[in-house]
Amino acid sequence: QVDRYLYHMRLSDDVLLDVMARFQAEMVKGLGKDTNPTATVKMLPTFVRSLPDGSEKGDFLAVDLGGSQFRAHQVKVFDDGKQSSQLESKFYPTPKEIIQGNGAELFDYVADCLSDFMETKNLKHKKLPLGFTFSFPCKQTKLEEGVLLAWTKHFKVRGVQDTDVVSSLRKALQKHKANLDVLALVNDTVGTMMTCGYDDQRCEIGLIIGTGTNACYMEEMRHIDLVEGDEGRMCINTEWGAFGDDGALDDLRTEFDRELDLGSLNPGKQLFEKMISSLYLGELVRLILLKMTKEGLLFNGKVSTALLTKGTIEMKHVSAMEKYKEGLSNTKEILTELNLFPSEEDCIAVQHVCTIVSFRSANLCAAALAAILTRLRENKKLLRMRTTVGIDGGLYKTHPQYAKRLHKVVRRLVPNCDVRFLLSVSGSGKGAAMVTAVAYRLAAQRKQIDAALAPFLLSLETLTEVKNKMRTELEYGLKRETQASATVKMLPTYVCGTPDGTEKGKFLALDLGGTNFRVLLVKIRSGRRRSVQMYNKIFAIPLEIMQGTGEELFDHIVQCIADFLEYMGIKGARLPLGFTFSFPCRQASIDKGTLVGWTKGFKATDCEGEDVVDMLREAIRRRNEFDLDIVAVVNDTVGTMMTCGYEDPNCEIGLIAGTGSNVCYMEDMKNIEIVEGNEGKMCINTEWGGFGDNGCIDNIRTKYDEEVDAGSLNPGKQRYEKMTSGMYLGEIVRQILIDLTKQGLLFRGQISESLRKRGIFETKFLSQIESDRLALLQVRRILQQLGLDSTCEDSIIVKEVCGVVSKRAAQLCGAGLAAIVEKKREDQGVDHLQITVGVDGTLYKLHPHFSRVLQETVRELAPQCDVTFMLSEDGSGKGAALITAVAKRLHNVGQK
């Protein structure tokens, strides 16, 4: 008969999985900006962004307002490696006139109690951080700010709703001259998670099952529409008690639930809480027993006054009646006290009612918790997840079967989650102190991180200064008397024209500039159907050849050419050849290039000071298999300009922003003192990577730049390149990460073996980490590949470090480029210059923000220049062929 009565309270796993799905949908609704207003589960952001990491330390105060007693706590957190803490508390009553008076009186009373507590603990002279546990629903916009949405738990203080409770507390503390810094406002559920999180770093859910019920958990910022930013995580206070207020649980609510709701202080509200929390379960049991008695199923149909009186059966009675061993005798005793004279059958039936009511509570709680666990697991993209739930509340702690039932059902509903349930010993008070300790740690860390990264933030004034210094250095490089000592070498390339569209023929091109070497066959067609067709093959250059002898290097190059000619079936043809050689060369003519110095990790001996075209001709002669007409030696930057110039005649600047960094541009012959003749133009290869080698930009170099320079193959040289090019940015990031780790701000202060390896942090990682499409989870994966076990907070910091390093590189590059476009504008004597820059290089092409920042900087520093940036498709190879073609055309014109 009891079963027939309570049939609707028995919930199958299928029903619970359905409740779980409904709750998941409500969570999504609560997190959305547009859907939040109509969501019953409010998903309130708490601005708690980090869990304890064990490095917290210090003295903290906490106050706890939310029940019949007000509590003040002193929490000492020890940095002894054992994660130990000490809690001392004092309880103060919250008189009725205070909880039903006005706001000023309430906060005065809180400040009064706190002053008393500090007096007794001899803390008056100290300025301590304070955490405020305020167990009522608040809308927070900061960690230390919260507007009360509504009073609950019999509190009815006037003039507080819709105001910021923290500023009210601060005012009261000032009045009492209490020297306290309110750092955090915390809900008791969040306090529970943080307390348990200090003991177990896997804890990322807080759960309260007592007089009230609620849950909070760590959500990914990218899913929280209500808060700006998408980096990292934030604790969300679900306020799940209101689940079902929109009718979503009506099919599961029984006639007893409806009756209980109608008789409550807030009919139609907190319906989920009314099915779960201990405040209501006793009343639910009373209503069921009353109806059964009226129908003659219990107590011989005799209804006592006690059974008719609301609130006579409390949760403590339900718990006592459900104890296995003494349950029946307890039941008999409790019912007799209520003037009900039960038979043994009555006692068994009543005990059965209690079991079904409390079991339903555990089932519903498990379904909502399973929804949160599933969401966490899906956020992390894990097939199986290990996590910990911090838990508090009288029902969970004192009911004899509740915890066991809850655990069992959760494990059944989410078999792919290994859940540990951790009881919070000193709950919300210590939790508020922990939130404060974490906030305190984060604020201190923020200061240290800001200090480390500050030198990378360049003001407009500083960038203007860099532009002006670059302009000065360009002029030095062009003048005969200063050229020898100039750091920006301004090398003439003897490329005196850009393509005009009449170029045609077949050309070979070589491209040497990094660890790969390319050989290309380029077919250029002129006229109306003008086009460029290319065939190429890539060959690797092993490290031992890059750093062996010059003869070995050029023999290897010729071997690659022979393979290509054979591959293309053109071994006998004598083709004009353009040689892209992306290292600083001093040219005496277009087909003569003396290597000034190796860069980019090349170290081949007996090459510096030699003509690379001669070395190539010698190697071809040694092989004695084919002959080639070497027409031009070309820098990759010049090749880039020429490729873009083929598409856009306005292109007179070439920029490489990749492994290396360089610029070339068309300069008026009259300004190039080191070359005879004043007519026309010639392309100048600036070799601007050496800018600053004379110390002129030392004021913006950081200690990390100095470290990178000292550990490079060419200390003291190419200083500007080392701040702007892909070859070095990853290494700058690595140096910063080591420094921050030594300061205990990253990776729990542990420097991994891999982080110690020079070059481990490649620039491609910067591009990946800074990608807007990548969630922090993927950033963590990239760091894991590097052997760095990072937390979510670590990932945010690493992303920030990458951001400042690459932004500075782009800004410095932009400042240098602004100097060149301004020079061209002034040389042409125009108020407004329209010009195109041909660009190549992986940093510019692949990094998510580099190109944008570079362009913005040029716009800002050269406002009178309208600069178009054109991406070079296959710059250096095609460029070499085009230069060869232009040189042939100009040669033929000269001969005529």
Side-chain angles (χ1 to χ4, degrees):
Q1 286 172 320
V2 173
D3 279 349
R4 183 171 57 79
Y5 248 88
L6 300 181
Y7 175 74
H8 286 302
M9 284 198 167
R10 289 183 173 280
L11 305 175
S12 69
D13 278 4
D14 284 347
V15 170
L16 292 177
L17 287 166
D18 187 38
V19 171
M20 181 175 149
R22 292 182 213 181
F23 189 75
Q24 275 183 299
E26 272 302 307
M27 289 167 79
V28 172
K29 213 170 154 186
L31 288 169
K33 201 179 237 157
D34 302 333
T35 47
N36 176 276
T38 57
T40 55
V41 179
K42 281 298 172 205
M43 306 294 279
L44 302 172
T46 63
F47 294 83
V48 170
R49 294 170 185 266
S50 177
L51 293 159
D53 71 354
S55 68
E56 291 76 15
K57 59 178 185 286
D59 266 11
F60 302 93
L61 284 184
V63 290
D64 194 344
L65 181 68
S68 54
Q69 287 185 311
F70 167 72
R71 292 177 292 175
H73 312 273
Q74 181 191 7
V75 182
K76 285 177 185 289
V77 184
F78 301 105
D79 184 21
D80 55 5
K82 295 178 191 155
Q83 297 208 195
S84 51
S85 60
Q86 185 184 318
L87 175 74
E88 291 182 40
S89 308
K90 192 168 177 186
F91 292 72
Y92 298 88
T94 37
K96 194 168 182 188
E97 64 271 20
I98 291 286
I99 62 174
Q100 300 195 345
N102 68 45
E105 289 165 353
L106 171 72
F107 288 105
D108 269 348
Y109 179 71
V110 171
D112 220 12
C113 296
L114 249 174
S115 289
D116 171 73
F117 181 70
M118 289 175 77
E119 196 83 61
T120 55
K121 295 280 169 205
N122 194 22
L123 296 171
K124 277 284 192 185
H125 59 287
K126 283 188 171 182
K127 185 176 169 91
L128 291 175
L130 172 76
F132 183 18
T133 303
F134 187 75
S135 306
F136 306 94
C138 280
K139 184 173 193 249
Q140 287 187 253
T141 44
K142 288 182 191 157
L143 182 60
E144 71 284 12
E145 193 177 277
V147 172
L148 175 66
L149 296 176
W151 285 115
T152 54
K153 310 180 196 171
H154 312 302
F155 272 69
K156 285 247 178 337
V157 185
R158 296 183 302 282
V160 181
Q161 207 167 317
D162 300 323
T163 67
D164 172 23
V165 295
V166 176
S167 62
S168 303
L169 176 61
R170 279 191 181 131
K171 271 180 208 146
L173 289 169
Q174 273 167 355
K175 217 157 86 181
H176 281 70
K177 296 195 168 50
N179 191 14
L180 292 168
D181 191 4
V182 187
L183 282 189
L185 177 72
V186 187
N187 174 286
D188 54 351
T189 323
V190 181
T192 298
M193 179 186 78
M194 293 299 272
T195 301
C196 295
Y198 184 64
D199 299 318
D200 178 347
Q201 287 180 8
R202 284 188 192 277
C203 181
E204 47 192 346
I205 297 175
L207 177 61
I208 301 254
I209 317 166
T211 323
T213 180
N214 193 14
C216 69
Y217 73 103
M218 295 301 286
E219 176 60 88
E220 301 283 326
M221 281 288 287
R222 67 182 190 278
H223 296 148
I224 310 172
D225 278 359
L226 312 162
V227 178
E228 286 299 305
D230 55 4
E231 297 294 341
R233 301 195 300 167
M234 182 182 286
C235 178
I236 289 289
N237 165 19
T238 65
E239 287 295 337
W240 77 6
F243 176 41
D245 287 6
D246 57 354
L249 296 176
D250 281 3
D251 56 331
L252 299 179
R253 290 172 72 228
T254 63
E255 59 182 296
F256 308 112
D257 293 309
R258 291 189 173 86
E259 198 178 333
L260 177 139
D261 177 45
L262 285 172
S264 69
L265 286 169
N266 53 352
K269 301 235 170 100
Q270 299 294 103
L271 297 182
F272 187 60
E273 182 163 86
K274 284 169 186 168
M275 295 165 87
I276 288 184
S277 82
S278 61
L279 192 63
Y280 301 101
L281 294 193
E283 183 59 12
L284 209 50
V285 168
R286 183 188 73 81
L287 292 170
I288 296 165
L289 298 186
L290 178 62
K291 183 166 184 186
M292 288 176 75
T293 308
K294 280 180 178 173
E295 295 196 7
L297 298 171
L298 285 175
F299 315 126
N300 295 323
K302 287 181 184 156
V303 179
S304 72
T305 316
L307 208 50
L308 287 166
T309 310
K310 188 175 160 192
T312 48
I313 297 182
E314 294 175 31
M315 193 60 223
K316 63 181 179 187
H317 299 134
V318 177
S319 294
M321 289 192 276
E322 276 198 78
K323 283 188 177 152
Y324 279 154
K325 285 183 182 153
E326 59 272 37
L328 275 183
S329 58
N330 283 349
T331 307
K332 191 169 179 125
E333 205 176 300
I334 289 161
L335 295 173
T336 307
E337 274 176 26
L338 296 172
N339 286 331
L340 298 160
F341 299 99
S343 64
E344 191 162 332
E345 285 74 26
D346 289 338
C347 289
I348 291 168
V350 169
Q351 198 178 30
H352 201 45
V353 169
C354 291
T355 299
I356 287 173
V357 167
S358 60
F359 214 129
R360 183 185 70 158
S361 161
N363 273 335
L364 288 171
C365 190
L369 180 58
I372 291 175
L373 286 161
T374 303
R375 184 167 178 90
L376 266 179
R377 185 180 61 76
E378 286 170 355
N379 280 350
K380 294 179 176 185
K381 297 185 170 58
L382 294 172
L383 292 171
R384 190 167 193 90
M385 175 179 79
R386 267 182 73 191
T387 194
T388 299
V389 175
I391 199 161
D392 202 354
L395 180 55
Y396 183 87
K397 284 177 173 175
T398 58
H399 187 286
Q401 323 297 336
Y402 199 95
K404 203 184 292 174
R405 288 170 187 165
L406 176 76
H407 301 175
K408 214 169 177 177
V409 182
V410 166
R411 288 185 179 122
R412 261 201 338 266
L413 295 178
V414 280
N416 45 9
C417 294
D418 301 319
V419 187
R420 178 187 182 210
F421 290 87
L422 183 61
L423 200 57
S424 164
V425 186
S426 43
S428 46
K430 182 177 170 186
M434 284 322 309
V435 172
T436 310
V438 169
Y440 199 65
R441 163 173 67 80
L442 291 178
Q445 285 181 346
R446 188 68 263 165
K447 250 187 198 155
Q448 287 174 277
I449 291 163
D450 287 347
L453 301 184
F456 287 88
L457 310 178
L458 305 178
S459 65
L460 190 58
E461 194 184 351
T462 304
L463 289 168
T464 306
E465 197 186 305
V466 172
K467 177 187 84 168
N468 296 338
K469 284 176 178 174
M470 176 67 87
R471 176 66 188 270
T472 305
E473 294 294 313
L474 297 174
E475 303 286 3
Y476 278 163
L478 288 171
K479 292 199 164 37
R480 189 175 279 118
E481 68 271 19
T482 49
Q483 207 274 338
S485 60
T487 56
V488 179
K489 285 294 173 203
M490 305 297 278
L491 305 172
T493 63
Y494 295 87
V495 170
C496 296
T498 49
D500 67 358
T502 64
E503 293 76 16
K504 60 178 189 284
K506 280 185 191 174
F507 302 89
L508 263 189
L510 310 181
D511 183 1
L512 177 69
T515 48
N516 288 332
F517 168 63
R518 283 191 316 156
V519 187
L520 305 94
L521 175 66
V522 183
K523 295 179 180 176
I524 303 174
R525 180 187 273 169
S526 62
R528 238 187 17 214
R529 292 171 59 205
R530 77 184 197 139
S531 66
V532 177
Q533 274 180 309
M534 292 195 294
Y535 308 89
N536 75 71
K537 205 165 182 199
I538 295 174
F539 302 90
I541 298 202
L543 188 68
E544 63 271 17
I545 291 211
M546 283 167 70
Q547 299 185 2
T549 67
E551 200 168 282
E552 285 166 345
L553 174 64
F554 281 93
D555 282 348
H556 179 74
I557 288 169
V558 172
Q559 171 70 58
C560 298
I561 298 171
D563 290 352
F564 178 74
L565 295 175
E566 193 139 346
Y567 169 72
M568 295 299 297
I570 50 171
K571 210 160 192 182
R574 189 171 192 274
L575 296 172
L577 178 140
F579 183 15
T580 301
F581 186 75
S582 310
F583 302 93
C585 280
R586 195 167 265 108
Q587 288 188 244
S589 65
I590 198 162
D591 63 349
K592 279 193 178 357
T594 303
L595 175 62
V596 174
W598 284 120
T599 56
K600 304 179 212 176
F602 273 73
K603 272 260 164 154
T605 57
D606 308 323
C607 295
E608 292 179 1
E610 297 296 326
D611 180 356
V612 293
V613 176
D614 283 347
M615 291 186 85
L616 180 61
R617 283 191 181 121
E618 280 299 317
I620 291 171
R621 213 169 287 136
R622 273 199 300 277
R623 192 169 180 94
N624 199 20
E625 274 183 36
F626 51 83
D627 195 16
L628 297 167
D629 174 17
I630 304 170
V631 174
V633 62
V634 183
N635 177 280
D636 55 346
T637 323
V638 183
T640 297
M641 180 187 79
M642 292 300 265
T643 304
C644 295
Y646 186 68
E647 309 293 333
D648 177 355
N650 219 9
C651 179
E652 291 206 333
I653 299 176
L655 166 68
I656 298 275
T659 316
S661 173
N662 195 14
V663 159
C664 71
Y665 71 102
M666 295 303 287
E667 177 60 273
D668 293 335
M669 282 291 285
K670 63 176 186 286
N671 295 332
I672 313 171
E673 292 186 4
I674 48 176
V675 176
E676 291 302 308
N678 282 334
E679 293 305 308
K681 293 182 179 182
M682 183 185 285
C683 179
I684 289 290
N685 165 20
T686 66
E687 285 298 336
W688 77 1
F691 173 48
D693 289 2
N694 58 359
C696 72
I697 54 170
D698 279 3
N699 60 316
I700 59 165
R701 285 175 83 226
T702 66
K703 61 178 179 179
Y704 309 110
D705 294 306
E706 282 160 16
E707 286 274 352
V708 170
D709 180 36
S712 68
L713 288 169
N714 52 352
K717 299 211 172 128
Q718 300 294 101
R719 290 184 185 181
Y720 181 66
E721 180 166 76
K722 285 170 187 167
M723 295 164 88
T724 54
S725 81
M727 184 159 184
Y728 300 98
L729 298 190
E731 186 57 19
I732 297 172
V733 168
R734 187 183 75 90
Q735 292 293 346
I736 300 171
L737 299 187
I738 286 177
D739 187 34
L740 295 182
T741 308
K742 280 179 183 167
Q743 291 182 52
L745 303 171
L746 269 181
F747 312 130
R748 297 182 190 83
Q750 305 294 311
I751 299 178
S752 68
E753 272 314 302
S754 58
L755 195 56
R756 292 178 198 279
K757 285 182 197 151
R758 185 170 292 283
I760 183 88
F761 207 98
E762 295 170 45
T763 297
K764 69 173 181 189
F765 295 131
L766 266 80
S767 296
Q768 289 167 358
I769 286 169
E770 286 188 71
S771 164
D772 296 329
R773 294 192 312 277
L774 271 199
L776 279 177
L777 210 66
Q778 283 146 302
V779 174
R780 281 178 80 175
R781 289 218 176 104
I782 292 166
L783 293 174
Q784 270 162 353
Q785 287 169 20
L786 295 169
L788 301 168
D789 184 21
S790 66
T791 62
C792 182
E793 286 76 30
D794 290 337
S795 303
I796 294 173
I797 295 168
V798 171
K799 194 167 182 174
E800 189 183 348
V801 170
C802 291
V804 297
V805 170
S806 59
K807 183 178 182 180
R808 181 189 70 160
Q811 286 179 322
L812 287 175
C813 221
L817 196 55
I820 288 171
V821 293
E822 272 291 294
K823 180 181 189 319
K824 284 195 72 72
R825 185 185 68 77
E826 287 173 23
D827 286 350
Q828 286 181 28
V830 291
D831 289 337
H832 203 86
L833 175 75
Q834 276 209 322
I835 194 160
T836 299
V837 177
V839 196
D840 201 355
T842 45
L843 195 55
Y844 188 91
K845 285 179 172 174
L846 302 181
H847 189 282
H849 310 298
F850 189 93
S851 58
R852 175 183 53 78
V853 176
L854 169 70
Q855 291 174 29
E856 282 168 4
T857 309
V858 173
R859 249 197 315 278
E860 224 170 346
L861 297 179
Q864 289 164 275
C865 301
D866 184 1
V867 184
T868 304
F869 288 82
M870 183 180 188
L871 215 50
S872 157
E873 290 310 319
D874 195 72
S876 43
K878 185 174 170 182
L882 282 164
I883 288 169
T884 307
V886 171
K888 276 277 184 205
R889 170 170 64 79
L890 294 176
H891 179 69
N892 293 341
V893 169
Q895 279 192 326
K896 281 176 190 172

